[in-house]
Amino acid sequence: MPNHTIADILRGLEAKTFSSEEITQQYLDAIAKHDGNFNSFITVTPDQALAQARAADTARQNGSAGALCGVPIAHKDIFCTEGVRTSCASKMLDNFIAPYNATVVERLANAGVVTLGKTNLDEFAMGSSNETSFYGAVRNPWNTDCVPGGSSGGSAAAIAAGLAPAATGTDTGGSIRQPAALCGLTGLKPTYGRVSRYGMIAFASSLDQGGPMAKTAEDNALLLQAMAGFDHRDSTSMDLAVPDYRAGLNKDLSGLKIGVPKEYFSEGLDPEIASAIEASLDEYRKMGAEIKSISLPHTHLAVPCYYIIAPAEASANLSRFDGVRYGYRCENPKDLDDLYTRTRAEGFGEEVKRRILIGTYALSSGFYDAYYRKAQQIRRLIKQDFDEAFKSVDIIAGPTTPNPAFALGEKVSDPVTMYLEDIYTIAVNLAGLPAISLPAGFTKGKPIGLQLIGRDFDETTLLAAAHQYQQRSDWHQQAAPGSV
């Protein structure tokens, strides 16, 4: 099971080698038996999954199957799922049962997927290691003493462990790509506005973007095809045609211009990761691509810029969690102030409270111009850097992370060091661009991620470049030692 891809499962279902009910039961059994080692799921939905699988088998028999009919996947527990707990890995929403489906969940359901359950994450998606979850840290199947990355660490660990062939994730500053890199997976952050954010509980609204995580670029193409498209319920959703991503996987890459930012190969990058990325670029040269050195001069400002804008937006978005309408409420409040104060103090974890305080401070009277407005001006400069680069190159390549997976507890007490783990991913969210991380080697037995960044709404080129690299390499086929 660990090496099953969505494409493999679809072929098996079409050939009637197995039924959706049979393979769904296999994954449910694996979760029940092995997830205690990884803590990748918060909620497992066996009855719903088997009912969906039986319906998928019936649909295949009567010729009404959707594109992903019968394929089991998991959803990050930040997407609302009707009738199923949606917790955001927080005590604040531990008892919240969503009354509707997020658009991503709805569209994948319409394509016929089977939902195995909801995966663990950093609380409200705030973290880079999946150690801030109310339900405990997630462990990396490549080394269970190490983090899987965050915030979509539960989705990444579930796939790497063989407990699901694919999962949804969200990416606010690298939260799909970073765990994909640390767990040896392929994860795609689409262009901002390509995938609806409706029903995806907000962290930072101008940065959040849902996307797919799986073993291969082909699987990401299949998932994105079902997820993408305009949604009138999301005011930031773009009304653009959705290309046939799978059909574009074999797009001719000869003459493709790949830019390599010199800022991505400076001090702080693990030398073995740098060597692996160079080796990957050599493969692209053999495919006929042209490699060109470029500069993104404001890269060093991305982390401080992000950690003003994201907390500011978080402080506004999380103000709705006050103990009045839904979610956690403190015991026996004395008055309204006590209700608000104790509910939020008791319901939120330390990292979430830290970001709310930072964001509130940055937005406060007297500091708005000095911090928030200045960060937005820097954001524009970062976007302009990418715009200038894309005048001479088609995609940008570099490492996804500066280091491989680090030990549990190693950086949790030093927020600044933790934040720097996202140094290569954050600028992409600030600019709203698409990017993909794919496996590109190993260092000390841990996976290395190669990041490819594309022009707005050009996921087709990224998926093609990733797919054709995977046709020439087998990094994505390696199974984690802890997988089932």
Side-chain angles (χ1 to χ4, degrees):
M1 239 181 339
N3 289 316
H4 271 2
T5 64
I6 290 177
D8 293 335
I9 292 170
L10 286 172
R11 283 190 286 269
L13 291 169
E14 288 161 10
K16 299 184 179 177
T17 306
F18 46 77
S19 67
S20 177
E21 185 175 3
E22 287 170 337
I23 195 158
T24 298
Q25 187 65 63
Q26 285 183 17
Y27 279 109
L28 290 169
D29 290 346
I31 294 166
K33 185 175 180 181
H34 298 286
D35 195 42
N37 299 326
F38 312 111
N39 195 32
S40 65
F41 280 85
I42 291 174
T43 301
V44 184
T45 53
D47 293 341
Q48 175 184 294
L50 290 170
Q52 290 174 342
R54 287 190 283 270
D57 288 333
T58 300
R60 282 196 174 275
Q61 289 168 8
N62 63 27
S64 60
L68 298 173
C69 187
V71 175
I73 70 163
H75 286 297
K76 183 177 181 178
D77 199 20
I78 201 168
F79 290 100
C80 286
T81 44
E82 184 178 2
V84 177
R85 176 172 60 169
T86 302
S87 72
C88 290
S90 178
K91 181 178 180 180
M92 186 64 81
L93 290 178
D94 182 51
N95 63 358
F96 176 62
I97 307 297
Y100 65 98
N101 282 326
T103 298
V104 163
V105 173
E106 179 181 274
R107 287 185 172 165
L108 286 167
N110 290 341
V113 304
V114 172
T115 300
L116 297 167
K118 309 290 289 293
T119 55
N120 207 343
L121 63 147
D122 282 300
E123 184 182 7
F124 282 101
M126 297 184 195
S128 303
S129 65
N130 217 145
E131 293 176 281
T132 70
S133 170
F134 175 62
Y135 305 100
V138 177
R139 294 178 177 270
N140 190 325
W142 288 91
N143 183 333
T144 52
D145 292 328
C146 291
V147 304
S151 65
S152 306
S155 291
I159 302 165
L163 307 182
T168 55
T170 62
D171 194 310
T172 305
S175 291
I176 287 174
R177 290 161 288 151
Q178 190 245 27
L182 301 193
C183 290
L185 306 175
T186 307
L188 174 67
K189 177 229 172 273
T191 310
Y192 184 79
R194 173 64 87 186
V195 172
S196 172
R197 294 186 300 110
Y198 178 77
M200 188 178 90
I201 295 174
F203 161 16
S205 301
S206 75
L207 300 164
D208 297 342
Q209 185 59 70
M213 303 175 74
K215 284 196 164 290
T216 66
E218 181 182 21
D219 283 2
N220 275 263
L222 289 164
L223 289 164
L224 184 62
Q225 194 74 51
M227 295 166 68
F230 176 67
D231 179 8
H232 67 89
R233 297 170 296 188
D234 174 7
S235 63
T236 61
S237 174
M238 295 299 291
D239 191 2
L240 296 173
V242 178
D244 186 335
Y245 295 115
R246 195 180 195 184
L249 291 174
N250 293 311
K251 172 181 177 180
D252 185 6
L253 297 184
S254 58
L256 183 77
K257 293 181 174 63
I258 301 177
V260 181
K262 62 183 182 181
E263 291 82 4
Y264 287 9
F265 291 84
S266 57
E267 185 180 354
L269 177 62
D270 183 301
E272 291 191 34
I273 292 180
S275 296
I277 301 306
E278 291 290 354
S280 301
L281 294 172
D282 284 340
E283 284 299 318
Y284 280 108
R285 285 190 183 92
K286 293 173 187 174
M287 288 186 238
E290 178 186 335
I291 310 300
K292 178 179 178 180
S293 178
I294 62 168
S295 178
L296 299 173
H298 294 97
T299 294
H300 66 290
L301 297 175
V303 171
C305 174
Y306 175 90
Y307 281 102
I308 294 295
I309 293 172
E313 295 185 8
S315 73
N317 279 323
L318 271 63
S319 64
R320 72 194 69 177
F321 303 111
D322 54 12
V324 175
R325 288 156 290 190
Y326 50 80
Y328 176 76
R329 178 182 293 200
C330 69
E331 296 275 339
N332 303 314
K334 291 181 290 188
D335 52 33
L336 193 60
D337 282 346
D338 187 46
L339 169 66
Y340 287 164
T341 303
R342 284 203 291 123
T343 291
R344 292 166 69 80
E346 296 168 14
F348 289 135
E350 292 303 311
E351 182 62 27
V352 172
K353 286 187 276 194
R354 179 185 294 115
R355 297 198 192 193
I356 290 172
L357 288 169
I358 292 170
T360 304
Y361 180 83
L363 292 174
S364 61
S365 177
F367 296 102
Y368 180 91
D369 287 339
Y371 293 106
Y372 186 73
R373 187 185 297 278
K374 186 65 68 176
Q376 292 288 19
Q377 291 169 340
I378 293 169
R379 182 180 191 171
R380 173 54 63 92
L381 295 176
I382 289 169
K383 171 63 172 167
Q384 288 173 348
D385 285 351
F386 281 110
D387 291 344
E388 188 63 30
F390 282 123
K391 290 179 182 177
S392 60
V393 300
D394 301 306
I395 60 175
I396 294 169
T400 309
T401 63
N403 301 292
F406 48 92
L408 287 158
E410 181 181 333
K411 301 184 180 184
V412 73
S413 61
D414 186 350
V416 175
T417 301
M418 183 77 81
Y419 297 165
L420 290 172
E421 288 300 309
D422 297 329
I423 191 165
Y424 302 129
T425 55
I426 278 174
V428 172
N429 297 78
L430 291 168
L433 298 170
I436 192 168
S437 179
L438 59 150
F442 293 91
T443 173
K444 305 173 186 70
K446 301 171 188 176
I448 292 169
L450 165 68
Q451 179 176 220
L452 305 177
I453 304 167
R455 294 187 177 96
D456 289 323
F457 301 101
D458 190 15
E459 289 86 359
T460 300
T461 300
L462 291 183
L463 288 163
H467 174 71
Q468 292 180 45
Y469 176 80
Q470 290 179 338
Q471 299 304 106
R472 302 170 69 100
S473 66
D474 65 355
W475 304 120
H476 61 290
Q477 296 173 346
Q478 305 303 308
S483 60
V484 300

